[in-house]
Amino acid sequence: MTAPQHPALTLADPELAALVGAEERLQAETLRLIPSENYASAAVLEASGTVLQNKYSEGYPGRRYYEGQQNIDLIETLAVERAKALFGVGHANVQPYSGSPANLAVYLAFAEPGDTVMGMALPMGGHLTHGWGVSATGRWFRGVQYGVRRDTGRVDLDEVRDLALRERPKVIFCGGTALPRTVDFAAFGEIARETGAVLVADIAHIAGLVAGGAHPSPAGHVDVISTTTHKTLRGPRGALLMSGEEHARALDKAVFPGLQGGPHNQTTAAIAVALREASGPAFRDYAHAVVANARALAEALLARGFDLVSGGTDNHLILIDLTGRDVPGKTAAKALDRAGIVVNHNTVPYDSRKPFDPSGIRIGTPALTSRGLGTEHMAAVADWIDRAVEAAGTGDEKTLAAVRAEVADLMSLHPAPGLPV
Ligand SMILES: *Cc1c(COP(=O)(O)O)cnc(C)c1O
């Protein structure tokens, strides 16, 4: 018997502690390919579990509504300064609770209910919060949406420009949640200037690639940068809003008191730690390795006859269209899960199936790269996906179990950051 990982929790609530332990084992033994997920470092996890969470600190450093901020002010200032330095911006707000509230704060800062806003359509790769109908952002604003071309699977910037000139949105979002290709921030910047819109780069997925120099930076091309901190950036669950000085006040007012109460100080501290990690040379290597792994994985999947949206990837993410394999996305995702490979089903552009059971699966390399897998492993990963998707079609549970064992073997050789060994 080894000592329990979480002694106080085990003593106080063994039932819950057992569930946490089970999740630790699951994250250790499986190949996690969901492109928005990652492994935060032990240092990030420690910071986010500290007594900082006991403190209320509505307001901003030096301008609080509660006393006792001697340490909190220094912590938040550290996070803000690190964000500004890492992303090359004049202003950063580190308080948004997550990516969705960060985007809502942007609307609150720059638009009124009923105004026209523009973003990429959800089934084309955009995010719910970019004005999609079921989201508050699509109900309280008039969302107009661009997509990708049917023939290339890529954003058509002429279409974006025409739509923006016709609809005159107050706010334009670029970036998305299922986009395998580089976002042309400079081109979006020209369109926004021509049409008088506030341009927001939502880099939730690619923030770590931007920080590590593996994707062009939006800084200097856009008015606002919105990002989560827990995807490729490898921090705690949280978000950042960044801009030049001219939008600083509007953004800060929108986050607090516009939308939120007290900031989550333990998260702010963990964001500061993650930003420090992301500014080192090892993180640059990480970001480039994520992209190299995704390219190698895309090549290996193409070689096995898979159909990839846009024909490949420039970043960390691959969208597989399973239409030609005759296996629905959800069936494939569930079979892969039984094989120890965790993905999500996803719509593909112009999907012929319904959103709750679409034609695609979405995968990515951030988490596997965090555990040290390299391009030399991507043929094996593609092979596992191929065998599992084939087995999903034929109901071959033996193959799924065999793949699961092979996956667990490789994972045991590559311990993940932040997990007990
Ligand atoms: C993940 C994501 C968000 C939302 O982040 P949450 O933390 O899940 O609320 C917003 N925009 C994009 C592009 C995302 O990928």
Side-chain angles (χ1 to χ4, degrees):
M1 264 302 272
T2 51
Q5 283 298 323
H6 310 286
L9 185 59
T10 303
L11 205 60
D13 191 341
E15 186 182 6
L16 196 280
L19 290 170
V20 173
E23 178 63 20
E24 287 170 345
R25 278 193 300 285
L26 190 67
Q27 292 193 17
E29 289 167 5
T30 53
L31 179 61
R32 299 172 62 235
L33 292 182
I34 294 176
S36 50
E37 293 185 352
N38 214 327
Y39 296 96
S41 71
V44 165
L45 295 177
E46 268 182 29
S48 61
T50 54
V51 297
L52 299 171
Q53 77 99 39
N54 296 341
K55 186 68 196 134
Y56 244 101
S57 40
E58 286 181 350
Y60 291 100
R63 298 175 278 143
R64 304 283 192 188
Y65 291 81
Y66 296 75
E67 298 314 314
Q69 309 293 347
Q70 294 86 334
N71 305 306
I72 301 299
D73 274 5
L74 295 175
I75 289 164
E76 184 167 336
T77 302
L78 203 53
V80 166
E81 291 305 320
R82 286 176 180 173
K84 285 160 62 178
L86 185 62
F87 289 99
V89 294
H91 176 71
N93 185 311
V94 300
Q95 294 192 7
Y97 297 144
S98 211
S100 303
N103 285 348
L104 204 52
V106 172
Y107 292 102
L108 188 60
F110 300 109
E112 295 295 326
D115 278 351
T116 300
V117 299
M118 184 168 138
M120 190 178 211
L122 178 73
M124 294 282 178
H127 192 261
L128 277 166
T129 56
H130 296 184
W132 188 246
V134 298
S135 150
T137 65
R139 291 184 48 187
W140 295 342
F141 303 97
R142 186 177 153 269
V144 296
Q145 308 256 276
Y146 56 89
V148 296
R149 286 176 62 111
R150 196 185 271 274
D151 54 345
T152 61
R154 294 176 187 241
V155 173
D156 180 341
L157 288 160
D158 292 330
E159 183 211 324
V160 173
R161 181 168 174 273
D162 289 347
L163 189 64
L165 282 169
R166 196 164 65 241
E167 301 287 355
R168 297 283 168 175
K170 278 269 185 65
V171 180
I172 298 176
F173 275 82
C174 61
T177 199
L179 284 184
R181 295 297 179 177
T182 302
V183 182
D184 189 342
F185 297 120
F188 271 98
E190 277 174 32
I191 292 167
R193 275 191 298 279
E194 191 180 345
T195 58
V198 171
L199 177 61
V200 187
D202 185 345
I203 60 168
H205 261 261
I206 56 172
L209 306 185
V210 170
H215 186 290
S217 170
H221 298 297
V222 307
D223 297 293
V224 178
I225 301 172
S226 171
T227 185
T228 58
T229 46
H230 47 274
K231 298 180 185 177
T232 50
L233 198 55
R234 264 162 77 175
R237 297 193 90 92
L240 307 171
L241 283 174
M242 298 177 280
S243 69
E245 280 305 330
E246 69 277 25
H247 299 306
R249 215 180 115 71
L251 287 173
D252 283 355
K253 267 181 59 186
V255 173
F256 176 86
L259 202 60
Q260 299 189 168
H264 295 178
N265 297 310
Q266 77 284 10
T267 302
T268 302
I271 288 173
V273 175
L275 292 169
R276 185 188 158 109
E277 290 175 351
S279 60
F283 196 88
R284 286 191 83 78
D285 294 345
Y286 167 72
H288 285 93
V290 166
V291 174
N293 280 339
R295 291 224 169 106
L297 182 53
E299 288 301 319
L301 289 167
L302 289 168
R304 283 159 183 77
F306 280 99
D307 186 8
L308 309 184
V309 171
S310 83
T313 181
D314 298 327
N315 54 29
H316 65 299
L317 183 148
I318 298 167
L319 199 50
I320 304 179
D321 184 346
L322 293 170
T323 308
R325 297 287 289 246
D326 232 14
V327 181
K330 203 189 245 179
T331 307
K334 289 197 176 304
L336 283 158
D337 193 48
R338 294 200 294 285
I341 299 171
V342 190
V343 307
N344 64 276
H345 63 80
N346 214 95
T347 53
V348 296
Y350 307 98
D351 208 318
S352 55
R353 301 179 59 89
K354 297 275 178 284
F356 60 84
D357 188 12
S359 301
I361 53 174
R362 189 184 69 146
I363 63 174
T365 51
L368 67 78
T369 308
S370 291
R371 27 193 334 166
L373 268 64
T375 51
E376 70 276 18
H377 298 110
M378 293 307 112
V381 173
D383 212 51
W384 288 329
I385 294 172
D386 194 14
R387 284 160 62 198
V389 167
E390 196 61 34
T394 57
D396 175 2
E397 294 298 322
K398 258 178 71 181
T399 294
L400 298 180
V403 170
R404 189 179 186 97
E406 291 172 37
V407 168
D409 273 351
L410 184 66
M411 293 306 108
S412 70
L413 300 176
H414 295 271
L419 291 184
V421 189

